[in-house]
Amino acid sequence: MSVLSVRGLSKAYGGVQAVHNVSFRVEGGEVVAMIGPNGAGKSTCFNMLNGQLAPDAGEIKLGEASLVGLAPHRIWRLGVGRTFQITATFGSMSVRENVQMALLSHHRRLASILSSAPRCCVDEADALLERVGMRSQAGRPCAVLAYGDLKRVELALALAHRPRLLLMDEPTAGMAPGERGELMQLAAVLARDDRLAVLFTEHDMDVVFGYASRVIVLHMGEIIASGTPDEVRADPRVREVYLGDA
Amino acid sequence: MRTVFLVAALMVSNSVLAQPIRIGELNSYKVFPAFLEPYKKGMELALEEINAAGGVNGRKLELVSRDDGGTPGDAVRVAEELLSREKADVLMGTFASNVGLAVANLANQRKVLFLASEPLTDKIVWENGNRYTFRLRPSTYMQTAMLVPQAAKLGKKRWAIVYPNYEYGQSAAASFKKLLSQAQPGIEFVAEQAPALGKIDAGAVVQALADAKPDAIFSALFAADLQKFVREGNTRGLFKNVAVVNLLGGEPEYLDPLKDETPEGWWVTGYPWSEIDTPEHKRFRDAYQKRWNDYPRVGSVVGYTSVYAIANAAKKAGSADTEKLVEALKGLQMQSPFGPITWRPIDHQSTMGAYVGQLAKKGGRGVMVNWHYADGAKFQPSDREIRALRKE
Amino acid sequence: MSGSAVLLQFLNGLSGASALFLVAAGLSLIFGVTRIVNFAHGSLYMLGMYLAVWLSARIGFWASVPLAAALVAAGGAAVEMLLLRRIYKAPELFQLLATFAVVLLVKDLALWAWGPEDTLGPRAPGFAGAVEIAGRAFPQYDLLLIGLGPLVFLLLYLLLTKTRWGILVRAATQDREMVGALGVNQKLLFTAVFMLGAGLAGLGGALVIPREPASLEIDLAVVSDAFVVVVVGGLGSIPGAFLAALLIGEIKAFCIGLGYSKITLAVEFIVMAVVLVLRPWGLLGRPQAAMRGPAALEAPLDPPSGRAVAALLALFAGLAAIPAFTTGYTLVLLTDVLVFALFAASLHFMMGPGGMASFGHAAYFGLGAYGAGVLLLRLAAPMELALALAPLFALAGALVFGWFCVRLSGVYLAMLTLAFAQIAWSIAFQWDAVTGGSNGLIGVWPAAWLASKTAFYYAALLVCAAALALLWRLVFSPFGYALRASRDSALRAEAIGIPVRAVQWAAFCVAGLFAGLAGALFAFSKGSISPETLSVPRSVEGLVMVLLGGVQTLTGPVWGAALFTWLEDSVSRGFEYWRAAIGGVILLLVLAFPRGVAGFVRERIAR
């Protein structure tokens, strides 16, 4: 059973077909990259996977459960964590509070009205921050963090619910080259140790070919190639799209 | 030793005697200035006259005046302030019905006399009447009743009604319908328009009234609403062959702004200040004009008479003690610029009346003609009805 | 209605729509570009009326109209340059407080300059009479207005689509930061837009003087009508404003024509509620570009330190000791302060941590007050029970209204809360059998053991302190965090499993419940309630208290409420132009402490 199986996914804006008949699977323990030039439909695809956008057609399954038509918060509950292309964290909270927030949601304590949120799950939050390398900055407000650090906080948020599927939209954009490796290394370890399915989009080809076990190439809303990094690298259509090769 | 006590006792009673009687007055000066500025002048004139004549029982009369913000909530707080901080002996004033009722209710709770000078609502002396509240102005019911005989004499069959949509207008319309149907059976009410107070869409309202083809119109509009109604009605020819009866339309506060557009022949309640030549009115008018270099409005009479009512009650009671004042005011007979009035023991309403007459234009401004004084004592429901309303 | 009656009412509706459009177009332009909710727009309109009335007695009606419009435009420019320009960077809605101060100042300015009496302008020379249409007399001047509305619309449309300046204005409406980044002189653009908007308001005011008397009450009436038109049409959309003005003008005229004049009390708000529920961005509006940059960043909110808690406890002890020293008016005033502090804090709960500004929070205050009155007087419940159950009335209202409101955001949400508040107000105003109509409910006094000022003060102190403690506790509970998370980033909140709308709906209900409790206390402290407890001015007061104290602080609303209540009480007693005085004080505070009073104090301590 694949962790994620997508079949015939389509979405149009007005007359423009942003995603057309896309089908793929991601297995537990796999790190899959989705690449393609700007406007290829990667973000649209991601936004349908976590429920921000409703697809026009197609099915999305997490294990047995269909995700189509569910709100993002329900999809998270089923086991999908995600990071955003433009980071989204809670600016009025510290790094630790951000993670605590996600943990409170994980423990289903959002409706709790009399306990003190700053005292909830402190150790658990710090452990998660340790994992993404943000433990030392736990007390800082998110509003003042460097971009790369925000990405790592987002990763901690996405992991709080121990997801089966991790969606990362351009996880290393804006990071220093050294940091990129660390973050992707972490994702790879998670996939291997926790049998997590990881799907990410990325522009940096070094990251893609360094860490992905499989690569899916989108072009103008359709999948034009899919396979191991080496297979994709050799694919003539991919070379045409990316390098303008004849 | 005994003489010392006696002297001390005398000094104490003397100092009590010398203490002024304080009237705590509150009103919506910012919300209804057209009425209340003359009202304030009337009050001050009365105060000066009374104190110049030596005050009441040797005590001076003092007035502490406050803006009540025009809302019941603020008014109650202001009244509390007048009572606790300013040590007012009596409360007086208010304009809008809801404010008047709220303060009357507080007066009952705090057991202090409240002389409601202006609010017209019937309820303040009937349904919501209480031991401590007295009202000077003729009520909506009374003023409507004063107009009904004239309305009946017109002999019109199809009546349309227009009034501002709040308690004053609603109860005026209800009383008018009831009383006119009694006086002239078989009449028909063909249209009813109740625009929001101060927000009449005059064009549409005039049009809708004209569409109902009435022979006569009863209106309870006043102030800005009346001005707009008159102008649109004149332009659109609504009043051409239609008789109009307008509550309050002859009060200088609302009549003067109509200027050369004053519609002629309307029956109104009001105050033809320049033409009333009774000795008591002449004396008042001369004194007022001398003091303020301005002519009196209805507000002036109301403010003036209210202060005199409290002075007379205190004189009769021989004290400013609330319970004694209440008993003194019940049945008190006194003079007013409109003639003698009585404070009815049954419902604490004064019998001050209003002038009923017709509008006319004279030298580019509106005046009242064919007028007569309608004594408030004559326009009351039966005592039995009143007792039922007061649940006594 | 006969055919000719329909035609005539249609024309009446058109002439009403023209006047409405002029004032709404200016408001829409100003909001579109500067994002300022200009409460003072009605005051500019009022100023146009007074100036035109005054000038037309001197230079004739036709000369007075353009001159009045020009003077108001100049006044608008002055307000923008002297005041608003200094506070564009302040938190959102703070400018609203400044424009509210302008409302107060202009009102007293008009009172001082032209006196309190309503004055109707002259009939327009050349258009004084009537023409016959379908056998009925129709004012010539109304025909002129019917033509003028579309003419101004056309000119504005050409200005905005065919000139470089107009294109800049439209670009700024779409994305303010972008225009700034393109090197356009933003200051000049903002001033010019404000001037044009003010000029349109002045023109609208000047043009209606043959139909409407200039009065001191017109400012808030007009601004709320104009807001409705702008929101129904879609913020920033001039064609939308035109369409909405037509729609509302016609609906009003036909309500009157068909004999449903009583419904005009709230009809535009019913229209607005329906439109917003069906089309969240108005008829022709578009979703707004999200604000970027520092203004969008929310300040951190830390739990009160031990010292702060100790200070609050000391304050509580101090307040509890006051009756030992005085039993007089101070207690009455302090009871009011406590009640409004709770009211403001409840509003702050949804505005601050919730990020949902409400222009109609008095609805819940009023529902609580009426709940208490109805339970006590109509259902003969004991006072203690009435006080305990009354907030549930407010909760019920919040459950219904909130369900719709949380589907929107920003100014649209705020305007929908206003619409619901106005609808609730008109029901309270007309439902005589239950609410006592315009007079309200009389005789809502506390039980005998709470009847004395001191006893009731203690009751209010205990209830309000407990409620405030609970509210603040809520802010730092997981629920409060989820609320703040939903405000900071709805996207992220959803992505970690927070059902954003449900959380916001719950917060809306909590705010309503606590406002209802404040309202019930208010009713018992005054002994009576009337529709004004849920009217627009009460909502605005709540807003002013919160903004004055500082949205981004926890205890700010309490200080704001205390300051405002005290100011109103002390200034109104001694000074004729007390509105202007309060306006002046607010302006000073706005300019000196753009983060609110409590925010300022906190920054000082932090340094």
Side-chain angles (χ1 to χ4, degrees):
Chain A
M1 169 70 46
S2 311
V3 171
L4 176 70
S5 43
V6 173
R7 282 185 48 181
L9 198 61
S10 298
K11 178 79 187 175
Y13 297 110
V16 185
Q17 196 73 37
V19 171
H20 182 58
N21 199 22
V22 165
S23 304
F24 63 91
R25 288 162 179 277
V26 184
E27 312 294 335
E30 252 192 322
V31 177
V32 178
M34 180 178 274
I35 64 169
N38 278 330
K42 297 171 305 215
S43 284
T44 304
C45 219
F46 259 54
N47 287 343
M48 286 191 282
L49 292 183
N50 90 319
Q52 261 170 263
L53 277 177
D56 296 338
E59 67 172 42
I60 306 167
K61 282 190 158 181
L62 186 72
E64 288 287 287
S66 171
L67 301 187
V68 174
L70 295 186
H73 66 267
R74 297 215 178 282
I75 290 179
W76 187 77
R77 238 177 243 288
L78 291 171
V80 180
R82 119 156 243 194
T83 68
F84 293 92
Q85 190 175 350
I86 298 167
T87 56
T89 55
F90 308 127
S92 73
M93 300 182 192
S94 70
V95 169
R96 183 184 290 120
E97 284 175 321
N98 267 266
V99 181
Q100 283 174 301
M101 190 69 252
L103 287 167
L104 284 166
S105 175
H106 165 64
H107 292 300
R108 293 180 175 277
R109 293 186 53 192
L110 292 177
S112 164
I113 52 173
L114 289 179
S115 55
S116 164
R119 289 195 205 131
C120 289
C121 332
V122 178
D123 296 338
E124 210 180 338
D126 284 351
L128 264 175
L129 286 172
E130 185 73 61
R131 221 166 154 191
V132 298
M134 285 296 292
R135 176 77 168 79
S136 58
Q137 301 195 59
R140 299 184 73 196
C142 263
V144 303
L145 290 190
Y147 198 68
D149 290 342
L150 278 176
K151 292 261 172 190
R152 291 198 274 184
V153 175
E154 273 209 308
L155 182 58
L157 295 181
L159 294 177
H161 192 48
R162 304 195 188 106
R164 292 151 72 197
L165 171 66
L166 178 62
L167 302 173
M168 297 198 288
D169 205 351
E170 308 226 352
T172 68
M175 280 184 159
E179 290 182 314
R180 295 179 184 188
E182 276 173 44
L183 188 89
M184 290 316 294
Q185 188 60 45
L186 178 63
V189 169
L190 287 167
R192 191 187 63 215
D193 295 354
D194 300 0
R195 303 301 293 161
L196 192 64
V198 177
L199 179 66
F200 72 102
T201 67
E202 188 54 70
H203 274 126
D204 183 334
M205 288 305 134
D206 292 341
V207 170
V208 171
F209 292 110
Y211 296 94
S213 46
R214 210 146 56 75
V215 179
I216 297 168
V217 187
L218 275 183
H219 179 54
M220 299 180 75
E222 297 188 42
I223 294 182
I224 55 167
S226 152
T228 62
D230 288 339
E231 286 166 14
V232 166
R233 218 193 304 253
D235 190 291
R237 283 203 63 193
V238 176
R239 297 186 70 88
E240 184 189 323
V241 167
Y242 267 92
L243 306 171
D245 283 11
Chain B
M1 200 57 195
R2 180 170 284 180
T3 43
V4 174
F5 269 119
L6 204 65
V7 168
L10 269 176
M11 281 172 66
V12 169
S13 66
N14 246 334
S15 74
V16 168
L17 280 180
Q19 255 182 21
I21 296 174
R22 289 170 73 82
I23 303 176
E25 198 274 342
L26 66 164
N27 234 316
S28 313
Y29 290 103
K30 280 294 166 81
V31 189
F32 303 101
F35 188 94
L36 291 173
E37 298 216 335
Y39 163 88
K40 193 163 199 173
K41 290 177 178 168
M43 280 196 308
E44 282 171 19
L45 176 63
L47 199 72
E48 286 163 11
E49 287 180 3
I50 291 164
N51 285 335
V56 179
N57 307 331
R59 296 169 67 177
K60 280 229 175 313
L61 211 52
E62 268 184 19
L63 187 69
V64 190
S65 207
R66 294 272 187 274
D67 196 306
D68 65 19
T71 67
D74 286 349
V76 166
R77 187 177 71 213
V78 168
E80 295 263 29
E81 192 256 344
L82 286 169
L83 293 175
S84 332
R85 189 177 289 171
E86 297 296 340
K87 307 279 181 249
D89 296 299
V90 295
L91 290 175
M92 187 178 108
T94 73
F95 187 95
S97 301
N98 54 355
V99 177
L101 285 167
V103 175
N105 178 44
L106 177 80
N108 193 39
Q109 179 82 357
R110 301 270 181 258
K111 300 202 175 358
V112 59
L113 182 81
F114 170 47
L115 195 140
S117 26
E118 171 61 17
L120 296 184
T121 174
D122 303 330
K123 291 188 170 135
I124 203 166
V125 293
W126 296 347
E127 287 94 327
N128 297 106
N130 62 53
R131 174 173 166 77
Y132 299 95
T133 300
F134 292 78
R135 192 252 308 276
L136 176 69
R137 271 313 291 282
S139 64
T140 310
Y141 174 90
M142 289 161 69
Q143 299 207 44
T144 308
M146 290 169 191
L147 281 172
V148 164
Q150 305 304 333
K153 268 187 224 157
L154 294 170
K156 303 287 189 182
K157 287 279 175 226
R158 294 169 60 83
W159 282 84
I161 294 187
V162 55
Y163 56 91
N165 185 15
Y166 75 110
E167 205 251 7
Y168 151 77
Q170 292 156 1
S171 62
S175 301
F176 184 80
K177 279 198 263 185
K178 187 176 141 208
L179 294 173
L180 189 63
S181 301
Q182 285 167 5
Q184 190 193 349
I187 52 161
E188 225 187 313
F189 293 97
V190 293
E192 194 166 320
Q193 287 286 335
L197 174 63
K199 286 185 158 186
I200 188 173
D201 187 347
V205 166
V206 164
Q207 192 64 52
L209 290 176
D211 286 339
K213 301 195 171 41
D215 314 323
I217 295 171
F218 172 73
S219 152
L221 300 175
F222 64 100
D225 288 336
L226 180 62
Q227 257 181 298
K228 284 152 76 173
F229 182 67
V230 166
R231 180 168 284 186
E232 282 290 335
N234 280 336
T235 312
R236 293 174 190 242
L238 172 67
F239 311 131
K240 243 178 234 162
N241 298 307
V242 176
V244 180
V245 173
N246 199 123
L247 208 58
L248 312 185
E251 298 188 353
E253 285 86 339
Y254 313 127
L255 177 58
D256 293 353
L258 299 180
K259 294 181 193 143
D260 62 341
E261 296 192 41
T262 305
E264 298 200 82
W266 286 22
W267 282 99
V268 294
T269 58
Y271 174 38
W273 61 272
S274 59
E275 301 188 11
I276 306 168
D277 287 328
T278 59
E280 59 270 18
H281 186 262
K282 262 169 107 171
R283 202 196 60 73
F284 163 74
R285 186 176 57 207
D286 292 346
Y288 189 90
Q289 286 185 312
K290 184 163 167 250
R291 174 68 180 80
W292 298 111
N293 197 21
D294 193 4
Y295 60 94
R297 319 308 204 266
V298 176
S300 320
V301 178
V302 170
Y304 183 81
T305 313
S306 297
V307 170
Y308 263 103
I310 286 173
N312 287 331
K315 198 175 286 173
K316 185 176 161 196
S319 124
D321 172 70
T322 296
E323 301 300 329
K324 285 186 187 148
L325 280 176
V326 168
E327 291 308 322
L329 204 46
K330 279 189 193 176
L332 176 79
Q333 299 190 345
M334 58 180 275
Q335 196 56 251
S336 82
F338 287 2
I341 62 170
T342 306
W343 292 84
R344 290 154 50 93
I346 182 171
D347 58 2
H348 298 188
Q349 169 69 44
S350 95
T351 62
M352 181 189 232
Y355 294 83
V356 174
Q358 285 186 286
L359 294 184
K361 259 184 290 197
K362 204 166 122 187
R365 49 191 305 258
V367 293
M368 278 173 78
V369 294
N370 303 329
W371 54 263
H372 65 272
Y373 180 63
D375 186 343
K378 295 179 189 151
F379 298 92
Q380 297 286 350
S382 71
D383 287 0
R384 196 172 50 79
E385 284 173 76
I386 288 174
R387 281 204 192 87
L389 286 170
R390 280 179 75 99
K391 299 178 195 84
E392 276 169 0
Chain C
M1 288 174 86
S2 66
S4 59
V6 170
L7 174 68
L8 268 282
Q9 287 299 13
F10 179 71
L11 292 176
N12 284 331
L14 285 183
S15 63
S18 279
L20 207 50
F21 168 69
L22 287 182
V23 54
L27 186 64
S28 195
L29 268 179
I30 290 175
F31 179 84
V33 175
T34 65
R35 289 289 183 277
I36 284 187
V37 177
N38 183 18
F39 253 63
H41 206 68
S43 307
L44 296 169
Y45 177 89
M46 181 178 83
L47 213 50
M49 290 180 93
Y50 273 106
L51 280 169
V53 169
W54 184 71
L55 286 169
S56 57
R58 285 158 183 79
I59 56 172
F61 175 76
W62 289 114
S64 77
V65 170
L67 188 56
L71 286 172
V72 175
V79 167
E80 200 277 339
M81 288 194 286
L82 296 176
L83 173 63
L84 300 176
R85 184 175 284 183
R86 296 164 193 270
I87 52 172
Y88 282 122
K89 294 242 152 64
E92 221 180 327
L93 285 177
F94 205 68
Q95 296 96 350
L96 187 152
L97 187 61
T99 59
F100 177 71
V102 174
V103 170
L104 296 176
L105 286 169
V106 171
K107 202 191 265 280
D108 271 2
L109 172 75
L111 175 69
W112 171 79
W114 294 291
E117 295 206 24
D118 298 350
T119 34
L120 194 57
R123 287 171 184 263
F127 291 83
V131 288
E132 199 172 292
I133 298 176
R136 287 148 205 265
F138 189 77
Q140 293 165 332
Y141 192 72
D142 286 27
L143 281 181
L144 180 74
L145 279 183
I146 290 174
L148 266 177
L151 179 70
V152 171
F153 172 58
L154 194 70
L155 289 176
L156 267 181
Y157 186 78
L158 291 177
L159 178 71
L160 290 178
T161 50
K162 303 289 178 209
T163 65
R164 186 185 126 76
W165 187 80
I167 289 164
L168 276 179
V169 167
R170 283 194 305 147
T173 305
Q174 294 302 318
D175 193 334
R176 188 165 86 182
E177 285 78 14
M178 199 49 145
V179 174
L182 290 176
V184 173
N185 186 340
Q186 226 176 338
K187 273 188 182 169
L188 208 61
L189 184 70
F190 280 25
T191 309
V193 165
F194 210 89
M195 198 166 146
L196 176 63
L200 283 170
L203 179 67
L207 279 172
V208 300
I209 60 160
R211 291 160 37 110
E212 293 275 337
S215 88
L216 294 170
E217 302 308 308
I218 204 97
D219 49 359
L220 283 183
V222 161
V223 80
S224 76
D225 281 358
F227 266 123
V228 168
V229 168
V230 167
V231 166
V232 167
L235 287 168
S237 163
I238 301 295
F242 189 70
L243 191 65
L246 275 184
L247 182 72
I248 288 169
E250 289 301 340
I251 288 177
K252 277 190 162 178
F254 279 96
C255 278
I256 294 167
L258 293 168
Y260 299 112
S261 56
K262 285 188 177 178
I263 211 174
T264 52
L265 219 48
V267 70
E268 65 260 52
F269 294 98
I270 296 171
V271 170
M272 178 163 80
V274 170
V275 166
L276 285 183
V277 166
L278 299 178
R279 288 188 64 94
W281 291 285
L283 294 174
L284 300 182
R286 266 178 280 183
Q288 305 244 291
M291 287 278 276
R292 289 189 295 267
L297 286 180
E298 298 295 346
L301 195 61
D302 296 323
S305 63
R307 259 199 318 187
V309 172
L312 286 173
L313 284 175
L315 178 67
F316 176 77
L319 286 171
I322 283 184
F325 303 102
T326 169
T327 54
Y329 177 64
T330 311
L331 293 187
V332 174
L333 188 62
L334 280 176
T335 306
D336 268 17
V337 168
L338 287 166
V339 167
F340 289 126
L342 179 56
F343 174 54
S346 73
L347 174 59
H348 173 260
F349 184 74
M350 63 182 286
M351 258 179 92
M356 298 177 284
S358 168
F359 291 173
H361 203 54
Y364 313 100
F365 185 81
L367 279 171
Y370 272 99
V374 166
L375 285 164
L376 191 81
L377 299 179
R378 303 278 189 249
L379 305 174
M383 176 263 173
E384 297 83 352
L385 188 69
L387 178 62
L389 297 184
L392 298 180
F393 282 65
L395 176 65
L399 271 168
V400 176
F401 297 159
W403 192 84
F404 293 102
C405 290
V406 299
R407 261 134 250 277
L408 310 180
S409 62
V411 177
Y412 288 102
L413 187 155
M415 289 306 287
L416 190 57
T417 61
L418 173 68
F420 283 130
Q422 279 300 90
I423 292 167
W425 172 82
S426 67
I427 291 171
F429 195 88
Q430 315 224 32
W431 195 9
D432 281 22
V434 173
T435 63
S438 60
N439 281 340
L441 295 172
I442 312 291
V444 191
W445 289 110
W449 64 281
L450 285 173
S452 81
K453 278 180 222 151
T454 310
F456 195 80
Y457 169 73
Y458 274 122
L461 179 61
L462 280 176
V463 171
C464 290
L468 284 172
L470 195 61
L471 258 183
W472 290 340
R473 182 86 204 171
L474 266 182
V475 172
F476 297 102
S477 74
F479 167 67
Y481 264 60
L483 180 63
R484 199 138 56 88
S486 303
R487 174 200 69 184
D488 283 2
S489 169
L491 194 66
R492 167 48 71 194
E494 278 277 338
I496 60 164
I498 299 175
V500 169
R501 266 185 198 167
V503 167
Q504 288 176 333
W505 188 27
F508 200 103
C509 291
V510 167
L513 184 77
F514 281 83
L517 182 60
L521 281 172
F522 182 75
F524 286 117
S525 75
K526 302 294 173 193
S528 58
I529 335 146
S530 77
E532 54 94 19
T533 47
L534 33 69
S535 62
V536 177
R538 175 79 57 205
S539 294
V540 172
E541 267 178 27
L543 212 54
V544 168
M545 289 170 187
V546 172
L547 294 171
L548 212 50
V551 187
Q552 299 184 331
T553 59
L554 190 63
T555 59
V558 171
W559 314 130
L563 181 64
F564 188 81
T565 310
W566 174 78
L567 258 183
E568 197 185 45
D569 180 71
S570 56
V571 180
S572 75
R573 196 175 310 134
F575 185 49
E576 219 224 315
Y577 295 101
W578 55 273
R579 276 189 248 239
I582 290 184
V585 171
I586 293 178
L587 270 193
L588 282 180
L589 290 172
V590 163
L591 291 174
F593 315 127
R595 304 225 149 224
V597 176
F600 170 77
V601 173
R602 196 184 58 185
E603 275 170 25
R604 266 301 160 88
I605 291 170
R607 241 171 251 161

